[in-house]
């Protein structure tokens, strides 16, 4: 069997990671794994149960029965909560905040860890998240850290939400991003941080096409 190649792409919310990772994965014929969707599904489940999503005991109590799975249809990831496809439902601002909250809970991270490792062990993949290069796949062949200024990221997130018909004020989106950055990089477990051996790509001044090109060429140089 030929060597399995894993590419880890980490960075804050709205840096363009998911679009760029998806395009890079398609370029190399790899699957694209969006690990944020897993945290979002766990968060959405807790929200639907009416729980405080930052309460470790309450959220931890859902892990024995919740069923979260990823399915790849033509290389495209869909996320299932029990038997429901929640790929769209996990994208609301409420689900984003719930995801950020539950992702700080150690039992949630542990719960999702094996799922991520197992997918990477069996597939050539581009996996994006916050701790892929540092914790989930420390031996990934290529590690990239994608970032951009908070203002630029808020601008992009607004455009994305508008395209999906979800209206949200720029100020609210920016405040959300700043809050999530803070949560994600200050939590005790697996905080968002660049791995020592990751390549930093700042996309603030780049168009989407330029970001995709920068990522593809950084990967090409290393595989
Ligand atoms: O990438 P995203 O916005 O869909 O991620 C949702 C939340 O999940 C985000 O606040 C950080 C968290 N997350 C994480 O802690 N670890 C990951 N590997 C991916 C996402």
């Amino acid at each position: 069997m030929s060597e399995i190649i894993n590419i880890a792409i980490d960075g804050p919310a709205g840096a363009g990671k998911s679009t760029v990772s998806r395009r890079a994965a398609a370029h190399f014929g790899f699957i694209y794994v969006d690990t944020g969707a897993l945290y979002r599904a766990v968060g959405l489940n807790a929200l639907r149960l009416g729980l405080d999503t930052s309460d470790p005991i309450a959220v931890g109590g859902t892990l024995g029965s919740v069923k979260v799975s990823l399915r790849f249809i033509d290389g495209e990831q869909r996320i299932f909560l029990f038997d429901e496809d929640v790929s769209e439902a996990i994208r609301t601002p409420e689900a984003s905040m719930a995801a950020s909250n539950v992702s700080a809970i150690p039992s949630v991270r542990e719960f999702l860890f094996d799922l991520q490792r197992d997918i990477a062990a069996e597939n050539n993949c581009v996996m994006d998240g916050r701790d892929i290069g540092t914790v989930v796949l420390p031996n990934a062949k290529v590690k990239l850290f994608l970032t951009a200024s908070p203002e630029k990221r808020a601008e992009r997130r607004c455009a994305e939400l508008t395209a999906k018909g979800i209206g949200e004020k720029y100020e609210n989106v920016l405040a959300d991003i700043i809050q999530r950055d803070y949560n994600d990089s200050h939590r005790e477990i697996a905080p968002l941080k660049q791995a020592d051996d990751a390549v930093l790509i700042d996309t603030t001044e780049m168009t989407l096409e330029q970001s995709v090109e920068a990522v593809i060429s950084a990967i090409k140089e290393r595989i």
Side-chain angles (χ1 to χ4, degrees):
M1 206 173 86
S2 59
E3 186 202 2
I4 295 280
I5 298 175
N6 294 153
I7 315 287
I9 303 190
D10 291 302
K17 263 184 334 215
S18 58
T19 312
V20 168
S21 301
R22 180 179 294 111
R23 295 265 302 268
H27 178 90
F28 292 102
F30 293 3
I31 61 166
Y32 162 56
V33 186
D34 162 20
T35 63
L38 299 169
Y39 292 91
R40 288 170 178 271
V42 171
L44 179 66
N45 184 53
L47 270 184
R48 285 179 172 179
L49 292 169
L51 303 176
D52 170 359
T53 55
S54 53
D55 178 345
I57 309 237
V59 177
T62 67
L63 301 176
S65 52
V66 72
K67 296 260 175 306
V68 174
S69 57
L70 295 180
R71 295 182 203 165
F72 296 90
I73 300 164
D74 295 332
E76 190 66 26
Q77 170 182 301
R78 305 296 297 179
I79 177 127
F80 286 76
L81 178 58
F82 299 100
D83 286 327
E84 179 188 353
D85 183 339
V86 291
S87 308
E88 277 79 38
I90 57 168
R91 298 291 158 196
T92 63
E94 294 73 30
S96 299
M97 201 47 80
S100 181
N101 289 339
V102 302
S103 73
I105 300 174
S107 59
V108 171
R109 304 203 72 85
E110 223 166 275
F111 174 74
L112 296 175
F113 185 78
D114 288 342
L115 193 62
Q116 299 170 79
R117 276 275 178 96
D118 290 349
I119 293 170
E122 288 169 13
N123 300 280
N124 289 330
C125 69
V126 174
M127 184 175 279
D128 88 12
R130 303 293 188 287
D131 62 338
I132 309 306
T134 50
V135 177
V136 179
L137 305 176
N139 298 318
K141 183 99 176 168
V142 184
K143 298 181 188 180
L144 305 179
F145 194 85
L146 219 63
T147 189
S149 71
E151 293 74 18
K152 193 70 180 190
R153 290 187 280 129
E155 225 176 82
R156 291 174 183 163
R157 189 66 99 188
C158 270
E160 241 175 66
L161 289 170
T162 306
K164 286 181 185 146
I166 306 171
E168 192 67 40
K169 276 211 189 100
Y170 170 83
E171 290 72 24
N172 296 346
V173 174
L174 178 61
D176 245 44
I177 282 192
I178 291 172
Q179 181 66 50
R180 283 214 285 152
D181 278 0
Y182 186 87
N183 290 355
D184 294 347
S185 46
H186 286 79
R187 65 181 178 222
E188 273 174 37
I189 180 165
L192 169 66
K193 85 177 194 353
Q194 187 181 344
D196 294 337
D197 50 353
V199 181
L200 176 68
I201 299 180
D202 185 331
T203 69
T204 307
E205 303 299 335
M206 293 184 195
T207 61
L208 178 64
E209 289 308 319
Q210 290 168 332
S211 310
V212 172
E213 268 173 38
V215 164
I216 290 177
S217 60
I219 296 172
K220 265 195 195 142
E221 280 168 27
R222 291 167 180 83
I223 62 174

